[in-house]
Amino acid sequence: MPTFGNSQRWFQAAGQLMPGGVNSPVRAWGAVGGSPRLIARGEGPRIYDVDGNAYLDYVGSWGPLILGHAHPQVVAAVQEAAARGTSFGASTPGEVELAQILVEAVPGLEMVRLVSSGTEACMSALRLARGATGRGRVIKFDGGYHGHADSFLVAAGSGVLTQGIPGSPGVPPEIAGLTISLPYNDLEGVARSLKQYSGEVAAIFVEPVAGNMGVVPPEDGFLEGLRRLCDQEGCLLVFDEVITGFRVAWGGAQALYGVRPDLTCLGKIMGGGLPVGAYGGRKDLMAQMAPAGPIYQAGTLSGNPVAVAAGLTTLRALNQPGTYESLEEKGSWLARELAGAAGRRGVPVTINRVGSMLTVFCTTGPVTSLEEAKAADLGRFSRFFQGLLAEGVYLPPSQFEAWFVSTAHRQEDLESTVAAVERVWAGMVGH
Ligand SMILES: *Cc1c(COP(=O)(O)O)cnc(C)c1O
């Protein structure tokens, strides 16, 4: 029997020192119960906890680690960059190189600004949208997560959703009142809302593949329809590609679906596991940011050389022939085999997937919106999670999150995962 004594002791100590014992809410495992594992190290597709237990990891640091843990090239790049100095508060060539790669890869990016997190990217893009349009309101979608800036904590996904709270105390109603949250994949709802608030909406923020209520793909025509409505109404279309950027395709979801936003938010993968984000888009809009223009945004550690080195190395490793074909193959194999196992065991699930991101919803589905995602049986999900953990498979500790497959997951890892899932399902009485 594996033991978790060290994890338990660390987590107890943490509880006295940090709210909930964690530095980000979902890490506390509130939705699935049990004592979170503290992680000692990772290598390839695996992580190892402080008691020495190994897990096949499908969290991948919540998305960034598309090359797996401690990728040798990324580690070397970080070491070399750190040895040259960790921060200068002045520009470095690496920032220019990273900006160049981003602008070449992502269709809607003509200019870009590096920041230190996805939250910062979305918060800054919203300020730019408001500054450029002179309008105050913003539309987002139920279950969409755009970081924790005040304006986005309305019917938000990810940890907010997992905790079962609709918003957050501390966000004044005057601010929250400017945010309109609508059902995902419902174009008519967007059209109605734009009509009602005509001339007042600065931007529509959307995850072009939703990843923070579990994976929910855009239905045919949804993203195209948003583009059309934004053009009609003179508001900006902002794709939050913090998860999907460099995940679902080299150029992100906008390349995959062929819809060009006015602004794009990036994070996660582009930082290679270090704290980085970026926002960018049309040149005429980006030119309004300080110091080129009047809209202010800044950061002491923005474009940090160590983080940029990790990002550059990660993106260069991804930009090889066959990378995304191989990720697509792994993702589709896994989803297909999981569906097969569910069928054999008579377990009702809906599996949503785009490329190497997927969610197994404990419901018969379909799942095209937050409303439908919430139909999932959360008790059944926690038993599934705990069962897999005991099998040495580490899933996101919430139903409303994406599993991520990395380039480091080998076919035999995927096979052992499916075998473990089938054993867990076989043992779940009444599922
Ligand atoms: C993770 C995430 C963010 C926030 O990024 P942080 O780096 O955690 O601040 C924003 N948008 C989406 C879609 C995300 O998944």
Side-chain angles (χ1 to χ4, degrees):
M1 267 307 274
T3 57
F4 316 108
N6 290 336
S7 274
Q8 282 168 345
R9 276 189 292 279
W10 279 111
F11 190 61
Q12 269 160 20
Q16 304 303 312
L17 299 165
M18 302 183 283
V22 291
N23 285 316
S24 196
V26 282
R27 297 179 195 171
W29 289 16
V32 290
S35 186
R37 307 296 186 257
L38 278 86
I39 306 304
R41 66 187 186 89
E43 190 181 344
R46 286 187 176 69
I47 51 174
Y48 299 84
D49 69 18
V50 289
D51 293 282
N53 304 299
Y55 306 90
L56 250 179
D57 178 31
Y58 288 95
V59 177
S61 186
W62 302 91
L65 298 183
I66 194 165
L67 300 177
H69 294 270
H71 187 279
Q73 286 169 9
V74 178
V75 172
V78 165
Q79 286 171 337
E80 283 161 26
R84 287 192 298 269
T86 54
S87 182
F88 308 109
S91 296
T92 57
E95 293 164 67
V96 186
E97 293 178 300
L98 184 54
Q100 180 84 42
I101 292 184
L102 297 178
V103 164
E104 278 171 15
V106 182
L109 281 190
E110 294 172 0
M111 282 187 129
V112 69
R113 165 73 49 91
L114 300 185
V115 293
S116 299
S117 69
T119 292
E120 236 188 300
C122 295
M123 180 187 83
S124 309
L126 177 56
R127 183 175 307 136
L128 169 51
R130 284 172 164 160
T133 59
R135 302 171 177 188
R137 292 188 196 273
V138 59
I139 290 178
K140 67 176 282 292
F141 295 94
D142 301 342
Y145 182 67
H146 308 291
H148 64 82
D150 286 354
S151 295
F152 297 118
L153 290 184
V154 177
S158 192
V160 193
L161 174 57
T162 299
Q163 296 213 329
I165 49 182
S168 174
V171 178
E174 294 84 349
I175 304 277
L178 293 174
T179 302
I180 302 157
S181 192
L182 302 171
Y184 196 77
N185 274 324
D186 177 7
L187 264 186
E188 274 174 33
V190 178
R192 269 197 307 276
S193 190
L194 282 174
K195 202 164 176 188
Q196 182 181 354
Y197 297 107
S198 185
E200 297 178 40
V201 177
I204 297 179
F205 272 69
V206 64
E207 291 178 70
V209 175
N212 286 291
M213 49 176 147
V215 173
V216 177
E219 290 184 332
D220 282 351
F222 179 58
L223 299 174
E224 292 85 346
L226 292 180
R227 179 68 274 174
R228 198 173 54 245
L229 289 171
C230 282
D231 291 341
Q232 284 165 8
E233 185 51 32
C235 69
L236 301 182
L237 180 59
V238 185
F239 276 7
D240 180 351
E241 299 229 38
V242 171
I243 285 181
T244 53
F246 302 98
R247 167 64 63 183
V248 298
W250 171 246
Q254 56 196 271
L256 187 65
Y257 296 104
V259 176
R260 195 177 165 123
D262 300 294
L263 293 172
T264 299
C265 303
L266 293 168
K268 298 198 169 118
I269 288 175
M270 65 157 289
L274 272 79
V276 185
Y279 67 99
R282 279 166 39 196
K283 210 171 231 169
D284 63 305
L285 295 171
M286 291 306 288
Q288 301 183 43
M289 296 309 299
I295 305 172
Y296 198 71
Q297 179 270 317
T300 302
L301 293 177
S302 291
N304 173 266
V306 182
V308 163
L312 266 177
T313 309
T314 297
L315 296 187
R316 284 174 179 151
L318 285 172
N319 192 20
Q320 305 292 331
T323 301
Y324 288 91
E325 289 81 354
S326 160
L327 283 166
E328 166 67 25
E329 249 168 56
K330 289 179 190 187
S332 68
W333 188 90
L334 185 59
R336 193 175 61 243
E337 294 300 316
L338 289 172
R344 284 191 295 278
R345 298 297 168 182
V347 180
V349 294
T350 295
I351 300 174
N352 281 358
R353 177 191 74 88
V354 177
S356 56
M357 56 191 281
L358 65 104
T359 296
V360 177
F361 289 99
C362 297
T363 171
T364 45
V367 178
T368 66
S369 65
L370 178 62
E371 180 84 1
E372 289 171 351
K374 278 179 158 174
D377 181 336
L378 301 184
R380 186 149 67 84
F381 176 81
S382 2
R383 293 199 299 282
F384 180 57
F385 170 86
Q386 299 292 354
L388 276 167
L389 193 70
E391 290 271 356
V393 178
Y394 190 93
L395 299 181
S398 162
Q399 171 70 92
F400 306 114
E401 302 284 357
W403 308 16
F404 296 110
V405 179
S406 75
T407 58
H409 286 81
R410 296 159 307 170
Q411 179 62 24
E412 64 208 74
D413 298 321
L414 303 180
E415 284 168 13
S416 69
T417 300
V418 172
V421 166
E422 187 153 3
R423 278 194 298 276
V424 169
W425 279 339
M428 276 169 59
V429 185
H431 308 310

